[in-house]
Amino acid sequence: MLKLNNIEVAYLNVIRVLHGVSLKVDDGSIVALLGANGAGKSTTLKAISGLLKTEDGEVTDGSIEWEGKRIDKKNAEEIGKSGIIQALEGRHVFGHLNAEENLLVGAFNRKDSNAIKQDLEMVYSYFPRLKDLRRNIAGYLSGGEQQMLVIGRAMMAKPKLMMLDEPSLGLAPLLVEEIYDIIKRFNTESKTSVLLVEQNVRVALSIAHYGYVMENGRIVLDGTAEFLKNNEDVKEFYMGLSTVGTKKSYREVKHYKRRKRWL
Amino acid sequence: MSMLVQFVITGLAIGMIYSLIALGFVVVWKSSGVANLSLGQLVLLSSWFTYSMLVQAGLPFYLGIPLVVIFAIILGWIIERIILRPLIAQPILSLITVTLGLAYFIEGIVVIIWPLSQAYLPRFFPTEPIHIGSAVVTQEYLWAAVISLVLFILLSLYFRYNRMGIAMRATADDQKAVQACGIPVTKIFSRSWMFACVLSAIGGILMSSIGGIRPGLVETGLLAFSVVILGGLDSFVGAMIAGPIIGLVETVGSGYLANFIKWPEIRTVIPFIIIVIVMCIKPYGLFGENRIERI
Ligand SMILES: Nc1ncnc2c1ncn2[C@@H]1O[C@H](COP(=O)(O)OP(=O)(O)O)[C@@H](O)[C@H]1O
Ligand SMILES: [Mg+2]
């Protein structure tokens, strides 16, 4: 189980980004972390994975516990080895490596070469398209294929907790659904917990068990996916639906956003 | 005519040694973006170390050479761990400057430990000349070329199939994503410096077994540098192809043209003339990696 207790994060010692964030991810569950651009979602993931330190960020207060041990002072390598893997926002494939090499890099810290081969086949069974493209240079794959590759690479690490940062970003709706189905299947079949960062609230809540809504570095609302889906505020601000179910114009939403806060 | 053929063959062969040393530059550049300006000094240092092993300590080749390689690996480890790692995330200029500082440091050390102006290594290779047509070529050059080629092939295989090799290429592409996979990039930087030092050491052994150990060995670094500029800073194949070109131009320039142009220094200048021309025409070098950009 992953637990964040009131963490505060600052970049360069001065830019305070998170102001007391608490959340938890139960073993085997899918948890969605939702919120608009700049809310601090990616920062939260980087605080957990330890990547924050490479960006001059620091957890200045609070604690992060993973399987009962504090990890907020550990570096990315130790945290990765303890079973938490983050897939960065924005499809960071290794552009000059072919697809299969990209996947193998994901398994770098594992020594069990037979199991690695099996998992490679497992990833190919989740993403049959990657199998056809295994010898293709990753930099030239389409956006959707690259996203599959990034998720597959995270799978190859055999993580206990997989953190995905906006996997739907910039992808066609059909492709998003396909990828989300696969994330869900992977979660049920391998019992891997998933912490999912999304702005696409509708699709995230379609597979998540629990969700947190973040605004300006704070959690402003949380609850089961069912609860959030039916919450009027979530519907209005994040799904673009008013109570009657019609789409709101962007200008109106923006106007509301500025004035209304949950806390 | 036979003179020309002779110069062409030795030039190509000696250029292969430059390629080898240049590969050490490319490895470090690709994995950490650091331009290593101490190549020539590394060549000099390991040549003298070889001298200590083979001549001063009188060890046989099969013991001495592996010891030199081990020395180079340790040297690479030390350089990365002590000099470069504390500077991670500092401006790239500091990293480059520190390699320049390292260069002078090594030169100083060499003078202190080996206060000789020059020395010779035992001959490794048969010295009987080989006749190619009417030209006469010293066998040593051909052996050096073969060894360089073999090492290049081994290195290519390493980067294609080895877990660490693939991760090193991945780091060249996206350091952040490598860290997100839980891979310690410091280990990768460290490995790249070990490669650089070992390649410089082998290059140094080959160079000095043929021409002796002289302070002028340091210039090999400049030549290797012109090789990577010509071939492209991030291209192994580029280094392999550019080396013989530079070697050819240098040797033909010094040996052949010198008969016509009364200016012996032309030898050291030609490679740099090439660099300037290449930089003007193809700033990324002949084989510089094309940036993959998708929209
Ligand atoms: N490396 C950084 N240095 C300084 N500020 C940063 C850095 N990364 C993010 N921030 C700031 O932190 C805030 C939250 O960013 P982020 O966590 O990326 O939000 P989200 O992922 O929710 O869009 C933003 O205001 C952003 O400008
Ligand atoms: Mg983000």
Side-chain angles (χ1 to χ4, degrees), chain A residues 51 54-55 76-77 85-86 88 92 94-97 101 105 108-109 111 137 139-143 146 153, chain B residues 159-160 163-164 166-167 169-171 173-174 176-184 187 289-292 294:
Chain A
L51 285 181
T54 65
E55 289 186 19
E77 178 196 346
I85 287 296
Q86 175 181 5
L88 298 168
H92 285 255
F94 302 123
H96 294 91
L97 273 57
E101 288 170 336
V105 172
F108 183 87
N109 281 324
K111 301 282 181 285
I137 296 298
Y140 294 117
L141 299 180
S142 75
Q146 291 189 343
R153 192 172 68 200
Chain B
F159 283 110
R160 180 125 318 261
R163 200 171 61 100
M164 192 68 176
I166 295 174
R169 278 161 57 220
T171 312
D173 272 349
D174 195 329
K176 193 146 214 187
V178 164
Q179 283 172 302
C181 293
I183 299 174
K187 205 163 167 178
E289 214 156 58
N290 51 328
R291 324 229 161 263
I292 298 180
R294 301 191 84 267

Side-chain angles (χ1 to χ4, degrees), chain A residues 11 15 17 36-43 46 55 89:
Chain A
Y11 285 107
I15 310 168
V17 174
N37 228 339
K41 307 179 298 297
S42 299
T43 301
K46 284 184 272 186
E55 289 186 19
E89 180 177 353

